[in-house]
């Protein structure tokens, strides 16, 4: 699929589908009005007959509209004109891209990108349009049989054009399309790794994918630390989680170093738990299959690095993915066991299902000691409590450095991959006191209180020397039974913004 940004008259587009918006209460957008005039009032009469009332998310495809060169004209409902905002704009884009796929169109020109959204420009408009189109086109059928895969018809759409009002808007639109495409490719990689089942997507498989990423991009180098390396480094927490699994753990390191030699890297650390059964503190069976998604944080590191490699951002970024399974076994770590982390702090494992923080704490210490990061950001499907707090709308953000936290929140808002901040006040830390070790891996009093923050607070014990942020993506990384690829958009937008800000200075 190829995207184009153009500036041209709608009635003159020789395409299989022309897309224009209609407001609620049957008001045509200026671009729809042009088609209405060209067709001698066909659109107005369709509206008058009540076939399209402009309700958000509705679409109507008309064939052979006179006065145009298009095979079809699609009307897209936008809701009330005065309520037009980012959410209704995105909804219209999603509805039109979805309806377009149901037609036989091989090319399309959309004029929805003409709409003016408060505080947004055409770069943003086109970026959202391409992101949403790519999201609707994504399919995961790698695990269907050969026969079924043959029958699944791919989208016929080959060329999708987004129009902007003036020729002078073309550079903005094109830069939006380019960034969106890189983000979408990275998001799709994250989705696919995450959708793969635990028996295929093992720690070794992820390590192999990192080598592939290095090969495919040519601008990333990969290193993988094995169990023996972890032992030598004293990663007792990561090793404890892996001890119940037949699959050896991997610590995957991907370096994208294309900034100045003296520029400290931004380090991304992603939880790569390829299946979380809970360990000895075993989970209930209901929906346990979804715990194959417990590597979504790691998958987002892969996707983000691929995207910045595609954009050739001139900066230093390192991705670290601690990867393991968490299973019950005779050798598995047990409740009450005490392990020594790479940082030297001892941890009492009171619940083996709070394993994400155990593999992350050693990866974070490794990041700190190896890279002295400018900023360190971790992503993890860390707590069910975060799903309760924020649902699938926003990722939970916790940070010890407010400019970093603010930059991440702003990037998420900008790209439509939102996060919401939760506090890391020192009072929470008291809840991690262990009777026997330096720290417990779960709250020791009021176990059900502030679970997402307790997870962040645990990690904070290992990140005091860094400017650090933690994203709890337990509610956002997948929706229903499908991976969403979040927070790749947030992370890539943050990196683009950070790089742009540095160039300004
Ligand atoms: N991977 C889970 C978190 C999770 C649960 C993500 C449900 C998405 C949906 C994590 O390893 C976990 O099990 N966390 C425990 C922590 C608790 C034992 C303190 C949880 O949230 O129940
Ligand atoms: Mn768990
Ligand atoms: Zn987990």
């Amino acid at each position: 699929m190829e995207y184009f940004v153009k500036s041209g008259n709608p009635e003159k587009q020789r395409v299989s589908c022309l897309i224009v918006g209609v407001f609620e209460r049957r008001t045509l957008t200026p671009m729809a009005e042009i088609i209405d005039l060209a067709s001698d009032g066909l659109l107005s009469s369709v509206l008058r007959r009540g076939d399209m009332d402009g309700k958000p998310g509705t679409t109507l495809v008309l064939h052979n509209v006179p006065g145009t060169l298009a095979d079809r004209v699609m009307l897209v409902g936008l809701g009330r004109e005065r309520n037009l905002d980012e959410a209704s704009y995105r909804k219209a884009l999603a509805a039109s891209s979805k309806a377009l796929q149901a037609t036989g169109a091989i090319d399309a020109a959309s004029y929805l990108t003409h709409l003016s959204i408060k505080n947004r420009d055409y770069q943003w408009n086109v970026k959202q349009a391409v992101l949403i189109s790519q999201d609707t086109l994504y399919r995961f059928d790698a695990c269907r049989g050969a026969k079924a895969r043959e029958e699944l018809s791919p989208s016929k759409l080959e060329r999708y054009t987004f129009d902007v009002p003036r020729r002078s808007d073309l550079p903005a639109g094109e830069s939006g399309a380019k960034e969106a495409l890189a983000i979408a490719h990275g998001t799709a990689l994250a989705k696919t790794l995450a959708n793969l089942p635990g028996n295929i997507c093992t720690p070794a498989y992820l390590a192999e994918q990192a080598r592939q990423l290095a090969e495919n991009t040519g601008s990333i180098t990969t290193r993988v630390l094995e169990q023996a390396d972890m032992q030598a480094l004293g990663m007792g927490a990561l090793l404890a989680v892996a001890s119940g699994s037949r699959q050896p753990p991997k610590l995957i390191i991907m370096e994208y170093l294309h900034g100045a030699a003296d520029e400290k890297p931004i380090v991304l650390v992603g939880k790569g738990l390829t299946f979380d059964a809970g360990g000895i503190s075993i989970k209930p069976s209901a929906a346990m299959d979804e715990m194959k998604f417990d590597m979504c944080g790691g998958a987002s590191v892969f996707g983000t690095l691929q995207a910045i490699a595609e954009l050739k951002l001139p900066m230093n970024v390192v991705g670290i993915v601690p990867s393991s399974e968490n299973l019950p076994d005779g050798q598995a770590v047990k409740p009450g066991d005490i392990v020594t982390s790479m940082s030297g702090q001892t941890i009492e494992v009171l619940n083996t299902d709070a394993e994400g923080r155990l593999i992350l704490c050693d990866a974070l210490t490794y990041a700190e000691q190896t890279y002295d990061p400018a900023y360190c950001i971790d992503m993890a499907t860390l707590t069910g409590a975060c799903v309760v707090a924020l649902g699938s709308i926003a990722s939970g953000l916790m940070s010890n450095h407010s400019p970093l936290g603010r930059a991440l929140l702003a990037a998420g808002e900008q790209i439509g991959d939102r996060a919401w901040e939760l506090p890391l006040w020192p009072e929470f830390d008291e809840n991690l006191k262990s009777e026997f070790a330096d720290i417990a891996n779960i709250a020791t009093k009021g176990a059900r209180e502030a679970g997402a923050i307790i997870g962040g607070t645990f990690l904070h014990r290992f990140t005091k020397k860094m400017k650090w942020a933690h994203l709890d993506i337990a509610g956002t990384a997948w929706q229903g039974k499908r991976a969403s690829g979040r927070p790749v958009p947030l992370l890539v937008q943050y990196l683009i913004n950070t790089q742009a800000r540095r160039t300004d200075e």
Side-chain angles (χ1 to χ4, degrees):
M1 169 80 144
E2 262 192 286
Y3 292 96
F4 300 91
V5 182
K6 285 189 186 161
S7 182
N9 301 337
E11 77 283 11
K12 295 204 180 118
Q13 303 305 312
R14 196 179 290 282
V15 285
S16 357
C17 190
L18 193 66
I19 304 173
V20 292
V22 176
F23 291 113
E24 206 166 332
R25 297 272 165 98
R26 304 178 190 173
T27 316
L28 297 171
T29 55
M31 293 300 110
E33 235 164 68
I34 295 179
I35 302 297
D36 193 43
L37 272 173
S39 64
D40 244 344
L42 180 78
L43 302 197
S44 317
S45 71
V46 167
L47 299 197
R48 229 178 298 115
R49 289 173 190 157
D51 291 9
M52 160 53 82
D53 51 13
K55 286 236 160 58
T58 57
T59 58
L60 177 68
V61 177
L62 308 170
H63 290 256
N64 306 322
V65 175
T68 71
L69 299 176
D71 300 334
R72 309 169 184 75
V73 172
M74 185 194 293
L75 305 181
V76 185
L78 301 169
R80 298 281 187 88
E81 184 164 8
R82 63 182 156 83
N83 294 343
L84 181 68
D85 61 4
E86 297 183 9
S88 54
Y89 176 62
R90 287 197 186 102
K91 196 165 180 181
L93 288 171
S96 60
S97 289
K98 195 155 172 253
L100 185 60
Q101 269 193 70
T103 72
I106 55 164
D107 57 356
S110 173
Y111 282 75
L112 296 179
T113 34
H114 276 231
L115 292 165
S116 70
I117 316 294
K118 199 172 161 205
N119 296 329
R120 300 299 186 192
D121 54 16
Y122 294 108
Q123 207 255 8
W124 187 88
N125 278 14
V126 173
K127 198 170 181 175
Q128 289 296 319
V130 172
L131 276 175
I132 289 170
S133 163
Q134 285 294 104
D135 196 59
T136 30
L137 286 166
Y138 176 83
R139 290 278 173 284
F140 179 77
D141 50 29
C143 296
R144 308 233 180 244
K147 193 147 180 268
R149 250 185 299 174
E150 245 169 61
E151 283 161 16
L152 285 162
S153 61
S155 164
K156 292 181 199 68
L157 199 62
E158 286 169 13
R159 292 177 300 276
Y160 204 167
T161 299
F162 293 105
D163 204 274
V164 289
R166 287 169 299 273
R167 296 194 60 79
S168 58
D169 299 322
L170 290 174
E174 273 153 15
S175 110
K178 182 176 159 228
E179 287 179 4
L181 210 51
I183 292 172
H185 291 152
T187 305
L189 172 62
K191 283 183 191 174
T192 297
L193 290 174
N195 283 328
L196 285 168
N199 62 326
I200 295 175
C201 185
T202 58
Y205 181 91
L206 283 180
E208 177 51 30
Q209 293 307 301
R211 293 187 189 103
Q212 284 289 325
L213 189 61
E215 204 179 301
N216 297 346
T217 58
S219 56
I220 292 171
T221 54
T222 295
R223 260 182 314 132
V224 178
L225 301 190
E226 306 291 339
Q227 201 150 8
D229 303 313
M230 298 170 198
Q231 262 144 9
L233 288 164
M235 295 182 161
L238 171 50
L239 286 165
V241 174
S243 64
S245 163
R246 312 273 172 104
Q247 297 287 342
K250 307 278 174 184
L251 190 87
I252 303 163
I253 301 150
M254 294 166 277
E255 294 181 345
Y256 173 89
L257 302 174
H258 299 278
D262 63 347
E263 172 198 302
K264 290 181 182 183
I266 295 177
V267 180
L268 307 176
V269 180
K271 174 178 175 183
L273 220 295
T274 58
F275 189 76
D276 181 13
I280 297 298
S281 316
I282 197 162
K283 288 183 180 294
S285 330
M288 206 206 263
D289 61 297
E290 291 181 15
M291 283 300 126
K292 73 173 183 181
F293 290 126
D294 214 15
M295 36 61 72
C296 281
S300 74
V301 174
F302 282 78
T304 301
L305 285 170
Q306 183 189 276
I308 62 167
E310 183 174 330
L311 291 170
K312 299 192 167 64
L313 291 189
M315 61 199 307
N316 297 331
V317 181
V318 175
I320 301 180
V321 180
S323 186
S324 170
E325 294 182 319
N326 185 27
L327 297 175
D329 177 84
Q331 307 244 4
V333 66
K334 305 173 294 297
D337 285 1
I338 294 175
V339 299
T340 304
S341 66
M342 185 181 174
S343 74
Q345 295 176 86
T346 60
I347 306 168
E348 186 182 16
V349 181
L350 289 173
N351 188 320
T352 67
D353 199 10
E355 86 297 338
R357 56 200 77 180
L358 296 175
I359 69 170
L360 284 168
C361 71
D362 280 341
L364 288 164
T365 302
Y366 182 81
E368 179 215 295
Q369 295 187 0
T370 313
Y371 293 103
D372 183 24
Y375 300 103
C376 180
I377 306 161
D378 78 73
M379 289 72 61
T381 47
L382 204 69
T383 66
C386 195
V387 191
V388 175
L390 300 172
S392 58
I393 308 299
S395 303
L397 173 106
M398 285 145 261
S399 178
N400 63 5
H401 184 69
S402 57
L404 173 62
R406 278 199 303 273
L408 289 166
L409 293 172
E413 194 64 55
Q414 184 180 350
I415 200 71
D417 179 5
R418 283 181 292 191
W420 191 257
E421 189 166 10
L422 301 171
L424 283 181
W425 296 316
E427 286 85 344
F428 291 110
D429 194 73
E430 288 162 29
N431 214 343
L432 285 169
K433 275 205 182 110
S434 156
E435 202 60 45
F436 304 102
D438 297 342
I439 184 172
N441 79 327
I442 56 168
T444 44
K445 49 184 171 28
R448 291 178 57 80
E449 289 176 21
I453 296 176
I454 293 297
T457 301
F458 180 93
L459 297 176
H460 190 204
R461 282 272 190 117
F462 299 83
T463 57
K464 295 260 155 72
K465 292 183 195 146
M466 300 188 282
K467 292 172 178 166
W468 157 83
H470 158 61
L471 284 165
D472 193 330
I473 58 168
T476 52
W478 76 94
Q479 320 259 324
K481 301 271 180 193
R482 288 181 188 175
S484 68
R486 291 174 70 179
V488 171
L490 181 159
L491 293 170
V492 180
Q493 188 62 58
Y494 163 76
L495 293 171
I496 290 172
N497 295 351
T498 304
Q499 206 278 318
R501 199 164 353 97
R502 282 178 183 162
T503 328
D504 280 355
E505 275 161 9

